[in-house]
């Protein structure tokens, strides 16, 4: 266990919330199938960051990949579905709150689900459980760091630096659709112009104040979203 | 009120012929918050004009129209790239009075193309009942 934590710290290039992955990529990295991901999205077990739009693919954020790994690990524990939902809910809530998130544990036993802050991080020097346990059976223990290692084992995590720089996804802006940072211009609108025959230069002239690189990033991003499924989400 | 997808040059052009228009870019805080867009549009009793078809999708559009917003989505005809901005401006200039009349009774969305203005109310969308429950 200690070894895996060290590995994660050493890798240390996986800040939360970075990276966006198409359904198929997410399936590959999390060592699952895209059919399963689609089913989990449909049943709202693990929802993608962006749902499919007009036949386009769903897109998962980095946190969602970790949540998929949680699901993969706990589904064999025989937990009822309700409890699995709770596990995912806890998982997301702790990811958001804790800066030392990789040290957290998610403990699942037959009777309850616990989030544990490990002893190194507590004042008392003992593991602290956030939710009291009722069960006496041997629990299944998930250290968040192990989930990251699962992902690293599953495939290369692409970083998309240009997406982080130029494209923003925020639930408060256009209901979470991708937009060019600091604007409300959706990448799908830029791509629509591009498909209508406008050059990057012409689009740049239309949108005063938007960098040319941002326009190019938006086009590349939409191209990536539309790749592999032969469908487009453009407005014609 | 023109959404960010409408180029600023179009807004300037229609202002020059005395049509009251505001670009979302000019509203402080609106760029980063959908709620602000709705609030400002409602305060000015403005119609939100966009070319973004996704405006008819559930989360944003439902919250906008439920909060009293009136939205127009322009459906652009196929035209030469260099005529794009003129086409957007033309649609706004030719139709803005019609939109005011059509959207007067209650909040709704208009799908506007060169031939017609099609009004859709919130309850006309298939997801409306699901949203309500």
């Amino acid at each position: 266990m200690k070894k895996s934590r060290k590995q994660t710290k050493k890798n240390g290039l996986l800040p939360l919330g970075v990276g966006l992955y198409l359904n198929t990529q997410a399936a590959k990295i999390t060592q699952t199938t895209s059919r399963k991901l689609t089913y989990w999205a449909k049943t709202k077990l693990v929802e993608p960051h962006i749902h499919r739009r007009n036949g386009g693919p769903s897109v998962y954020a980095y946190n969602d990949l970790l949540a998929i790994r949680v699901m993969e690990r706990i589904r064999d524990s025989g937990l009822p579905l309700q409890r699995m939902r709770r596990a995912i809910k806890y998982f997301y809530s702790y990811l958001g709150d804790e800066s030392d998130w990789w040290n957290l544990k998610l403990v699942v036993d037959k009777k309850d689900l616990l989030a544990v802050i490990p002893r190194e991080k507590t004042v008392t020097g003992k593991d602290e459980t956030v939710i009291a346990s009722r069960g006496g059976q041997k629990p299944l223990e998930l250290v968040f760091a192990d989930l990251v290692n699962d992902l690293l084992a599953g495939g290369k995590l692409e970083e998309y630096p240009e997406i982080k720089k130029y494209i923003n996804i925020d639930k408060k802006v256009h209901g979470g659709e991708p937009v060019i940072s600091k604007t409300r211009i959706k990448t799908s609108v830029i791509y629509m112009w591009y498909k209508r025959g406008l050059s990057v230069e012409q689009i740049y002239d239309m949108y005063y104040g938007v960098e040319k690189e941002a326009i190019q990033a938006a086009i590349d991003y939409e191209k990536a979203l539309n790749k592999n499924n032969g469908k487009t989400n453009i407005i014609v | 009120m023109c959404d960010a997808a409408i180029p600023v040059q179009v807004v300037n052009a229609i202002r020059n012929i005395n049509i009251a228009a505001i670009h979302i870019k000019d509203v402080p805080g609106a760029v980063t918050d959908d709620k602000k867009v709705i609030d400002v549009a409602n305060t000015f009793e403005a119609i939100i004009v966009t070319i973004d078809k996704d405006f008819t999708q559930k989360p944003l559009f439902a919250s906008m129209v439920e909060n009293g917003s009136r939205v127009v989505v322009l459906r652009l005809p196929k035209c030469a790239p260099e005529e794009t901005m003129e086409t957007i401006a033309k649609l706004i200039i030719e139709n803005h009075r019609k939109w005011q009349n059509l959207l007067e009774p209650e909040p709704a969305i208009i799908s506007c193309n060169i031939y017609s203005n099609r009004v859709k109310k919130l309850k006309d969308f298939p997801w409306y009942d699901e949203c309500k429950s």
Side-chain angles (χ1 to χ4, degrees):
Chain A
M1 195 70 74
K2 273 183 182 173
K3 194 184 166 192
S4 63
R5 273 187 219 167
K6 269 185 187 170
Q7 277 174 354
T8 312
K9 282 183 184 173
K10 191 183 163 192
N11 285 319
L13 42 77
L14 301 164
L16 288 178
V18 174
L20 292 164
Y21 307 90
L22 298 179
N23 183 302
T24 44
Q25 288 173 312
K28 195 179 163 201
I29 293 166
T30 55
Q31 300 143 69
T32 181
T33 60
S34 50
R35 181 183 282 259
K36 200 186 283 176
L37 296 189
T38 309
Y39 176 72
W40 286 348
K42 200 176 162 189
T43 53
K44 297 186 176 174
L45 266 172
V46 182
E47 292 192 77
H49 191 70
I50 308 166
H51 279 278
R52 56 171 56 226
R53 304 170 297 176
N54 303 336
S58 300
V59 179
Y60 289 83
Y62 178 73
N63 292 1
D64 305 323
L65 301 191
L66 292 172
I68 292 165
R69 282 308 310 167
V70 174
M71 274 302 296
E72 277 290 344
R73 281 179 168 243
I74 61 176
R75 63 196 277 269
D76 296 330
S77 66
L79 274 187
L81 197 64
Q82 286 279 28
R83 215 153 282 171
M84 287 207 253
R85 280 188 201 283
R86 275 178 63 196
I88 298 296
K89 204 173 153 192
Y90 281 131
F91 173 77
Y92 276 111
S93 64
Y94 285 107
L95 271 190
D97 294 342
E98 286 288 330
S99 55
D100 287 343
W101 59 274
W102 62 80
N103 276 320
L104 287 176
K105 294 177 199 168
L106 199 69
V107 182
V108 183
D109 69 16
K110 296 280 178 198
K111 299 213 170 176
D112 219 330
L113 176 97
L114 324 163
V116 178
I117 300 168
R119 65 193 66 176
E120 310 92 78
K121 294 283 156 191
T122 60
V123 185
T124 56
K126 292 177 183 175
D127 280 3
E128 272 181 18
T129 52
V130 180
I131 314 268
S133 172
R134 289 179 291 149
Q137 298 173 38
K138 195 184 173 195
L140 168 75
E141 196 175 294
L142 292 182
V143 178
F144 283 17
D146 292 343
L147 302 171
V148 178
N149 284 327
D150 284 352
L151 299 186
L152 291 171
K156 194 185 165 207
L157 287 160
E158 293 172 63
E159 293 247 323
Y160 294 115
E162 75 284 1
I163 287 179
K164 194 183 166 196
K165 190 173 174 191
Y166 295 117
I167 293 167
N168 181 38
I169 294 179
D170 180 351
K171 292 238 161 171
K172 288 200 295 183
V173 182
H174 272 303
E177 290 283 318
V179 295
I180 293 178
S181 298
K182 296 173 192 163
T183 73
R184 286 176 59 85
I185 305 168
K186 287 169 60 169
T187 55
S188 57
V189 169
I190 298 289
Y191 193 58
M192 171 196 78
W193 293 129
Y194 178 73
K195 291 294 278 183
R196 276 174 166 254
L198 269 71
S199 64
V200 173
E201 202 71 41
Q202 285 169 314
I203 301 171
Y204 172 68
D205 288 341
M206 277 171 73
Y207 294 109
Y208 179 76
V210 178
E211 288 177 63
K212 209 180 281 182
E213 290 80 7
I215 288 167
Q216 188 61 57
I219 293 169
D220 293 344
Y221 174 70
E222 283 293 324
K223 272 183 186 170
L225 282 185
N226 292 307
K227 206 167 67 177
N228 296 332
N229 74 343
K231 292 176 183 173
T232 56
N233 57 359
I234 57 162
I235 312 155
V236 181
Chain B
M1 176 188 269
C2 294
D3 190 38
I6 307 271
V8 176
Q9 294 91 318
V10 171
V11 181
N12 292 339
I14 59 176
R15 268 192 204 140
N16 286 344
I17 52 166
N18 289 333
I19 295 174
I22 184 169
H23 197 270
I24 262 177
K25 211 173 167 186
D26 301 329
V27 181
V31 167
T32 51
D33 195 351
D34 289 340
K35 276 187 190 162
K36 186 86 181 174
V37 177
I38 298 167
D39 287 348
V40 172
N42 288 349
T43 307
F44 290 111
E45 293 185 4
I47 295 170
I48 299 169
V49 184
T50 181
I51 48 172
D52 181 0
K53 186 181 141 194
D54 287 349
F55 251 76
T56 56
Q57 283 188 347
K58 212 187 303 184
L60 179 63
F61 173 65
S63 71
M64 287 187 125
V65 177
E66 276 183 339
N67 285 290
S69 295
R70 298 174 297 161
V71 180
V72 174
V73 179
L74 303 179
R75 303 267 194 243
L76 302 180
K78 281 184 180 153
C79 58
E82 60 275 12
E83 291 169 2
T84 306
M85 286 200 275
E86 286 85 342
T87 312
I88 300 172
K90 195 179 161 201
L91 275 176
I92 297 174
I93 293 163
E94 285 179 356
N95 291 288
H96 73 284
R97 293 221 182 276
K98 291 180 201 163
W99 298 336
Q100 282 168 347
N101 293 332
L102 289 168
L103 291 170
E104 197 56 51
E106 62 179 299
I109 186 165
I110 288 178
S111 178
C112 170
N113 63 23
I114 48 168
Y115 307 109
S116 66
N117 286 292
R118 192 159 56 105
V119 184
K120 260 189 156 184
K121 288 170 188 159
L122 201 56
K123 61 178 186 298
D124 296 333
F125 286 90
W127 41 259
Y128 177 68
D129 289 333
E130 186 194 319
C131 246
K132 221 177 158 189
S133 57

